[in-house]
Structure formats: C-alpha cells, structure tokens
Amino acid sequence: MTDYRPGQCNIGSEQRQRRARIAALAFLTAAAVVAAYLAGALPEPLLLVVFVPLAVGFEWAFQADESFCVRLALAGQYAFGDDREDVPDAADRRTDQLYAAKITATSVLLAAVVTAALVFAL
C-alpha cells in the first residue's frame, strides 16, 4: 500500500524534508545575491541572477509542501522511501505531468515577479 495519489502526492516525508532543505538553501542564496548587490560587490545587471535561486527555491518549496516531485512525475514514477515505482496507469501519468508543469510554471512566474520587483526596488 502506498500513499500515491495522481496529481497530488508522489513522495514521502523524507523526500519532502530534503526538498524543504534545498528550497531554504536556494532562498539563502538569493538573499546572498541581493546582499552582495547592496554591498556594492555585484553590478546592477548581475542582480538578475537572483532569478535562478528564486526559481529553484519556489519549485522545491512547492514540491515539499505538496508532497510532489516534478522529476518523478515526468519520469512516470513515484517514491515512498528508497524504492521508485512506475505509475501503471497512463491517465495518472498524464495527470502527474500536468501537475508538474503547473508547479514549474508557477515557480518560474513567481521568480520572475520577485526578480522584477527587486530590480525596480533596488
């Protein structure tokens, strides 16, 4: 018995915690980029680089919060513990892929909005 639910849950608590740690590290990296800019160590055009850690941070935070791994969804798999299993139903795989695309698109959009806000505010 697994906790797999198409488009809702494809990873367990250990993977959620890992994603939360990576998201936190990505957001700390974004903060470091902004701090470097504010300290004068980073020229203004390079402030746009903050987009990358923000996008990663949002994506991995969403994955942690939603118990859903984008990469596994795209591979047609789920993982609770150390073992990966294939999603047997094609409709479920499609549901997972659509949800993965939604997470990624939302993450990129949020990163773009925050990056733009930072560039204009600073």
Side-chain angles (χ1 to χ4, degrees):
M1 179 73 182
T2 69
D3 293 328
Y4 172 73
R5 291 183 311 277
Q8 296 177 18
C9 181
N10 70 356
I11 56 173
S13 62
E14 186 177 315
Q15 288 297 318
R16 289 181 71 198
Q17 291 171 4
R18 178 175 173 262
R19 281 158 178 73
R21 287 190 303 270
I22 290 171
L25 182 59
F27 288 131
L28 284 172
T29 302
V33 169
V34 172
Y37 170 75
L38 292 174
L42 191 67
E44 187 171 356
L46 288 182
L47 182 58
L48 293 173
V49 117
V50 78
F51 171 83
V52 174
L54 285 173
V56 170
F58 283 124
E59 175 131 351
W60 285 70
F62 285 137
Q63 290 183 57
D65 185 58
E66 299 292 324
S67 299
F68 195 85
C69 175
V70 166
R71 186 174 41 101
L72 285 174
L74 295 176
Q77 298 178 324
Y78 61 89
F80 294 91
D82 294 331
D83 297 325
R84 289 183 180 190
E85 300 288 333
D86 290 330
V87 175
D89 184 72
D92 290 348
R93 285 192 303 273
R94 181 72 177 142
T95 298
D96 286 350
Q97 291 167 349
L98 289 173
Y99 193 61
K102 179 181 174 184
I103 288 174
T104 298
T106 301
S107 299
V108 168
L109 179 63
L110 281 172
V113 167
V114 173
T115 300
L118 286 169
V119 167
F120 290 117
L122 301 177

